[in-house]
Amino acid sequence: MSHTKLSDISDTDNPYEVREAGEGRGMGCFATRDIKPGETVMITFSDLHVDDIDSFETKTNGLIELYEKSEESVRQGWDALFAHYETPKIKCYVRALEKQRPDGTYFTPEEVKKWLGVVLKFDSNNFGSDREDVAVLYPEASRFNHSCDPNLDWENSTYTERWVARANRHIATGEELTIAYTPPHEECETRKADLQKDWGFQCDCPKCTEGLDLYTTSLQRARDILYGLDGVRESRRYDHRRNDIQELADRCRIRTTLLKEIVDRTPEGEDHKWRARQYAMA
């Protein structure tokens, strides 16, 4: 995931609800009202961070200590998270948990199972940070499901212990709010492999299945409405599977052309200009 400098922002009313996402996707966040591009959707804080180092024993001990010193409400939020148990790292964590503890004791099999769940839930839900080799768990932010064409961008800072998500396009009431678990600019097969390895699922978002870029397609729909072309160009899709420099240039060119066509077709007058903006964000 990419990170940017944390902005100075105000509080937000969290315009979403958490409910079943369907199709085996567990829980998800859904907009309870229309959300404007750039609007803040979530602000959450957390001090649940550890050094993301290669030593499984050190990391495991650090996570156990972090969990034990957390408040009960924080532990409950941690416990409620999803854990991916098919990771290749699971044997390394089990070996670390079966070793003698610093106080000379050993975990029972039941305790090994419990702490394995705690560690894997951190691994499956943590975010990188602005500090190298530091991973942070934001239980509230972990409610968002993945899309390779997400409608939210996020940023965080370990110095302020704050995580922020903003809409990157218009989001309609009832639409699921999503973030990208992997860099969305990577090749489709690379994204799929990373998602399968780290989270245990295959992405079926429109970008993966059809190469569909939702923002570009929404601009096309806005242009077609203004030109009275419903049904004429409706079947056209912009395929953005390549994700290389040329594809990014093509995407910018297509969007610029569509925006120009929308503006050129829109009649003069504030009401018409407002409607054009609404079409472009549809």
Side-chain angles (χ1 to χ4, degrees):
M1 300 178 182
S2 61
H3 308 274
T4 56
K5 183 178 180 181
L6 190 68
S7 305
D8 183 17
I9 60 174
S10 58
D11 201 359
T12 175
D13 61 352
N14 289 352
Y16 62 84
E17 63 179 357
V18 180
R19 57 181 170 85
E20 284 287 342
E23 299 180 355
R25 303 181 70 225
M27 305 297 286
C29 297
F30 294 82
T32 53
R33 59 173 174 78
D34 287 358
I35 301 174
K36 299 177 181 178
E39 185 175 343
T40 301
V41 173
M42 176 185 281
I43 305 173
T44 186
F45 297 84
S46 175
D47 59 358
L48 303 174
H49 50 80
V50 296
D51 292 336
D52 194 13
I53 54 181
D54 294 333
S55 171
F56 287 94
E57 184 175 356
T58 302
K59 182 178 179 180
T60 299
N61 291 336
L63 286 173
I64 292 173
E65 181 182 355
L66 186 64
Y67 181 91
E68 289 184 322
K69 74 177 185 180
S70 297
E71 296 180 358
E72 179 62 26
S73 60
V74 175
R75 292 199 297 268
Q76 289 177 355
W78 192 330
D79 291 339
L81 297 175
F82 160 82
H84 175 43
Y85 279 84
E86 300 301 321
T87 172
K89 296 185 288 187
I90 192 168
K91 293 182 179 179
C92 299
Y93 283 130
V94 170
R95 283 197 296 267
L97 288 166
E98 289 176 341
K99 288 186 176 181
Q100 188 177 31
R101 310 299 301 154
D103 61 3
T105 63
Y106 291 86
F107 285 134
T108 66
E110 293 75 17
E111 289 172 328
V112 169
K113 183 178 179 180
K114 169 192 173 181
W115 291 120
L116 180 62
V118 168
V119 171
L120 291 179
K121 286 175 182 181
F122 185 94
D123 259 12
S124 300
N125 294 277
N126 75 77
F127 293 81
S129 72
D130 48 4
R131 291 169 56 190
E132 188 175 359
D133 298 327
V134 173
V136 191
L137 181 65
Y138 297 91
E140 283 192 83
S142 298
R143 296 170 177 169
F144 294 118
N145 283 324
H146 165 82
S147 173
C148 295
D149 188 20
N151 50 26
L152 299 180
D153 293 330
W154 62 271
E155 58 186 54
N156 72 335
S157 170
T158 53
Y159 297 101
T160 61
E161 300 182 340
R162 185 167 65 171
W163 187 96
V164 183
R166 295 186 182 85
N168 59 33
R169 58 175 177 259
H170 176 77
I171 301 173
T173 303
E175 184 178 349
E176 184 173 8
L177 306 176
T178 58
I179 61 175
Y181 292 0
T182 60
H185 62 273
E186 290 185 338
E187 294 287 345
C188 182
E189 293 307 314
T190 300
R191 298 196 309 269
K192 286 185 175 182
D194 289 344
L195 290 168
Q196 183 64 51
K197 176 173 67 73
D198 293 333
W199 289 278
F201 69 87
Q202 287 286 330
C203 184
D204 60 356
C205 75
K207 186 174 182 180
C208 285
T209 57
E210 304 176 56
L212 178 60
D213 171 8
L214 296 182
Y215 179 60
T216 306
T217 303
S218 70
L219 290 178
Q220 175 202 340
R221 186 170 68 250
R223 186 275 314 278
D224 290 353
I225 291 172
L226 286 170
Y227 279 72
L229 297 176
D230 279 343
V232 177
R233 303 186 186 181
E234 187 65 26
S235 62
R236 181 177 179 185
R237 296 295 179 96
Y238 295 104
D239 193 325
H240 295 299
R241 289 188 178 90
R242 298 197 316 273
N243 280 317
D244 54 21
I245 296 298
Q246 184 59 51
E247 186 276 324
L248 291 173
D250 291 344
R251 189 184 311 187
C252 289
R253 176 182 54 78
I254 292 169
R255 289 178 176 179
T256 300
T257 300
L258 288 168
L259 285 167
K260 184 176 184 301
E261 290 177 350
I262 291 171
V263 172
D264 289 346
R265 186 67 176 184
T266 304
E268 292 298 325
E270 287 303 315
D271 182 60
H272 292 297
K273 295 296 183 183
W274 177 85
R275 290 180 182 277
R277 288 196 297 271
Q278 292 299 104
Y279 284 137
M281 295 188 299

